[in-house]
Amino acid sequence: MYDITIIGAGVSSVFLAYKLQEQNKNLNIHIIDKGKQLEDRVCPLDHGGNCNCEACPKYYGFAGLGKSEGKFNYTNDFGGQLGDKIGEQETLELMDEVDQILCSYGADQIEKYSTQNPGLEREAKKYGLDVLSTSVRHLGTKLATNIFQKLFDDLKEFISFTFEADVQSISKSDNGFYIHTNQGSFHSSKIVLATGMSGSEWMQKQCTSLGIQPSRTRVDLGLRIEMNRKQLNPLLKHTFETKLRYRGEDYEATTYCMNPGGRIIRKHQAGLVMADGQNYGEKTEQTKNLNYSLFIPRYFDTYEEARTYSRSIIEGVNQDKGRIVVQRLGDLYNQEATTQKSIEDNSIRPSLDEIEPGNLIEEMPELYLRAYLDMAEAIEGLIGEKLSEDTLLYAMDAKFYEPKVETNKTFESNIPNLFLVGDCSGDTHSLSQAAASGLFLGKYLSNVADKQFKQAEKHHH
């Protein structure tokens, strides 16, 4: 019987396991994941093959999304509400510890940078824009993969791993839980669910059967923007990226994942195809463009409602053929469709192939376009010039969240000894906050185990 079984081997799980084995070598810990070991996480699409994976290697497997771009934003301004749960100061201290651990495995070869710019923050306020700041260590895919491989090599000395395991059900026993998988059944006195954002449907099923009540679900939808990099230079003089938030009457819009010199790529998630961004560190040659997503969050009473809403919009764009639609800003102003000829003549070259020029007014709800146009006007005020009409708008991009599950301050659900950590708890939405939540729970569970061990010894004597 295991003391603790962690389901999911993503970032929160890795840092939870790291802290548990650091503080208490006597614990018998088991990690189960649907995906593969890190070195086997290879997407056939990246090598000209066909997608036939049981569990997508881009999302599942050891390190989860930690290996994608390895971007750790150390801040309470965005990326989750961990600060509300455990205190902002403690969250920052835990994120600092996350960074120290990463650096001990080689992250310090990449400089940490800060996006803080008080002058810009004051100026932006005049136009209704909030500048969200963070300190960032952006590892890139290659270094992130190396770091997590070294972490795995150390953890496997103390921890049992079962990969490519489908957890079919979890049931309560007298002294813990039974976990039934396609690779046999396991018994554990405590369970931590750490399935990130990729395990949404699975998570819903388990919560229902165990009697855990989810409260509400968030989904962010919006556009991916590709523009002339030079136009945002005034905002990027001192930093690699800027994160901006604008509040309209009926929405709050935030820029995400700004990539100066980067390119647009296709993102495959939950059977949908979306326009995502990649920074130039992932490809050697820089573009003259800059891209970012502009997201508006919406909240739904149930996960199903959130899913139905987002699917209906994005599937309408995809049309069962992975379609991504692009429109010039000038054509949006004139309410006319962009043509293939105008894309060919455009001064801003689209960095994504296989796009369909069109009219976004016909493709997506008006809210998302109105929010972009409002924010574009505010940005024009801030940079002191009109945005180029050749700016390209791609439909669509989305960010999915786990249903928020009620847990106490130590991430324990209404079922004793069953915990949720990282993004699947609904409290974190970023690598750094997920990792910090893992360290927090690791310290707590180690202390609980120590007390139980001392009580047992006392009882024995």
Side-chain angles (χ1 to χ4, degrees):
M1 177 160 164
Y2 292 102
D3 295 315
I4 299 168
T5 294
I6 306 167
I7 299 176
V11 169
S12 62
S13 169
V14 170
F15 281 85
L16 165 59
Y18 180 91
K19 185 51 70 178
L20 286 170
Q21 61 82 32
E22 179 190 70
Q23 291 203 337
N24 198 323
K25 296 274 192 283
N26 299 318
L27 283 171
N28 195 359
I29 304 162
H30 184 204
I31 295 180
I32 301 174
D33 196 274
K34 185 176 179 175
K36 300 180 176 185
Q37 293 189 37
L38 188 50
E39 57 199 357
D40 299 327
R41 285 180 63 188
V42 180
C43 177
L45 291 174
D46 293 342
H47 302 277
N50 295 320
C51 179
N52 54 6
C53 305
E54 283 285 306
C56 177
K58 286 184 186 290
Y59 296 94
Y60 296 96
F62 188 82
L65 280 172
K67 87 171 200 94
S68 60
E69 271 195 60
K71 190 174 193 180
F72 285 79
N73 286 307
Y74 303 120
T75 180
N76 283 313
D77 275 6
F78 55 89
Q81 293 80 44
L82 188 60
D84 295 343
K85 192 176 188 87
I86 66 170
E88 297 212 338
Q89 190 53 40
E90 180 158 12
T91 301
L92 289 173
E93 285 167 12
L94 286 165
M95 288 194 276
D96 196 43
E97 190 180 341
V98 167
D99 194 54
Q100 287 168 23
I101 293 165
L102 290 171
C103 286
S104 73
Y105 284 91
D108 52 356
Q109 59 190 274
I110 296 280
E111 285 291 313
K112 188 159 78 167
Y113 63 89
S114 170
T115 66
Q116 211 157 18
N117 184 338
L120 180 64
E121 286 166 31
R122 281 193 301 275
E123 191 62 22
K125 280 258 187 289
K126 296 178 191 171
Y127 301 97
L129 290 163
D130 291 320
V131 179
L132 309 181
S133 58
T134 176
S135 65
V136 187
R137 205 178 292 273
H138 194 165
L139 305 175
T141 306
K142 195 174 172 189
L143 180 58
T145 303
N146 288 346
I147 288 168
F148 280 104
Q149 185 58 51
K150 287 183 200 160
L151 268 161
F152 175 68
D153 292 339
D154 283 355
L155 289 175
K156 70 179 186 201
E157 300 291 312
F158 304 97
I159 291 168
S160 308
F161 284 92
T162 305
F163 289 105
E164 298 180 67
D166 222 347
V167 175
Q168 288 143 352
S169 66
I170 299 167
S171 54
K172 287 180 266 192
S173 71
D174 292 344
N175 56 348
F177 301 88
Y178 286 110
I179 303 148
H180 307 285
T181 82
N182 59 343
Q183 299 207 30
S185 295
F186 306 98
H187 197 196
S188 186
S189 54
K190 289 184 173 63
I191 284 188
V192 180
L193 302 182
T195 49
M197 309 243 284
S198 304
S200 304
E201 287 180 53
W202 176 88
M203 180 85 176
Q204 282 292 99
K205 206 170 98 184
Q206 302 309 322
C207 284
T208 306
S209 72
L210 286 161
I212 301 172
Q213 289 305 308
S215 47
R216 60 180 194 159
T217 303
R218 169 180 170 176
V219 64
D220 294 358
L221 292 185
L223 295 162
R224 190 89 196 172
I225 320 296
E226 188 162 40
M227 60 182 290
N228 183 338
R229 181 179 180 174
K230 282 186 183 156
Q231 289 210 280
L232 285 198
N233 275 354
L235 313 188
L236 300 171
K237 273 187 289 211
H238 308 293
T239 174
F240 179 73
E241 72 165 303
T242 293
K243 202 176 193 83
L244 302 168
R245 180 170 289 159
Y246 184 85
R247 289 181 174 87
E249 277 180 30
D250 56 346
Y251 66 83
E252 182 180 274
T254 307
T255 65
Y256 279 82
C257 199
M258 193 174 279
N259 292 309
R263 56 190 59 244
I264 307 264
I265 58 171
R266 296 169 94 79
K267 171 169 77 177
H268 297 262
Q269 195 176 356
L272 304 170
V273 182
M274 292 163 277
D276 196 6
Q278 189 176 48
N279 75 350
Y280 71 82
E282 308 295 318
K283 295 260 182 189
T284 44
E285 72 279 11
Q286 284 195 42
T287 65
K288 292 185 175 136
N289 302 347
L290 171 148
N291 68 71
Y292 64 89
S293 286
L294 184 68
F295 283 140
I296 296 169
R298 285 198 58 176
Y299 295 89
F300 296 85
D301 288 339
T302 67
Y303 173 76
E304 274 313 312
E305 284 174 50
R307 188 181 159 82
T308 303
Y309 171 77
S310 50
R311 285 200 88 85
S312 65
I313 296 170
I314 300 168
E315 282 176 348
V317 177
N318 287 168
Q319 293 183 359
D320 284 336
K321 55 185 182 188
R323 177 172 169 269
I324 288 175
V325 180
V326 69
Q327 185 173 26
R328 292 175 62 256
L329 178 57
D331 294 335
L332 178 63
Y333 285 142
N334 297 328
Q335 301 197 358
E336 60 189 36
T338 295
T339 62
Q340 189 59 44
K341 170 127 182 41
S342 56
I343 286 288
E344 285 164 13
D345 296 341
N346 209 48
S347 67
I348 296 167
R349 307 298 306 149
S351 58
L352 180 67
D353 299 330
E354 295 175 42
I355 44 175
E356 189 169 310
N359 187 353
L360 297 189
I361 294 166
E362 295 168 3
E363 302 288 343
M364 60 197 289
E366 166 269 349
L367 168 70
Y368 300 101
L369 296 169
R370 174 163 51 89
Y372 171 70
L373 292 174
D374 291 349
M375 194 164 188
E377 194 179 331
I379 290 171
E380 288 174 341
L382 182 56
I383 63 176
E385 63 174 275
K386 285 280 187 199
L387 290 175
S388 165
E389 294 200 348
D390 284 352
T391 296
L392 298 171
L393 316 179
Y394 294 79
M396 292 187 66
D397 194 7
K399 191 171 164 67
F400 302 108
Y401 295 85
E402 283 300 320
K404 180 95 177 68
V405 175
E406 290 308 316
T407 57
N408 65 15
K409 195 193 159 183
T410 57
F411 292 95
E412 193 168 10
S413 70
N414 58 336
I415 293 164
N417 294 321
L418 195 147
F419 300 79
L420 291 91
V421 76
D423 287 11
C424 79
S425 69
D427 288 308
T428 74
H429 317 309
S430 62
L431 297 180
S432 49
Q433 288 205 19
S437 72
L439 290 181
F440 177 89
L441 183 58
K443 288 176 185 182
Y444 171 74
L445 291 176
S446 296
N447 292 339
V448 169
D450 280 344
K451 281 178 195 154
Q452 287 171 339
F453 183 70
K454 280 170 187 157
Q455 275 175 339
E457 275 213 316
K458 203 166 147 189
H459 188 72
H460 184 69
H461 291 311

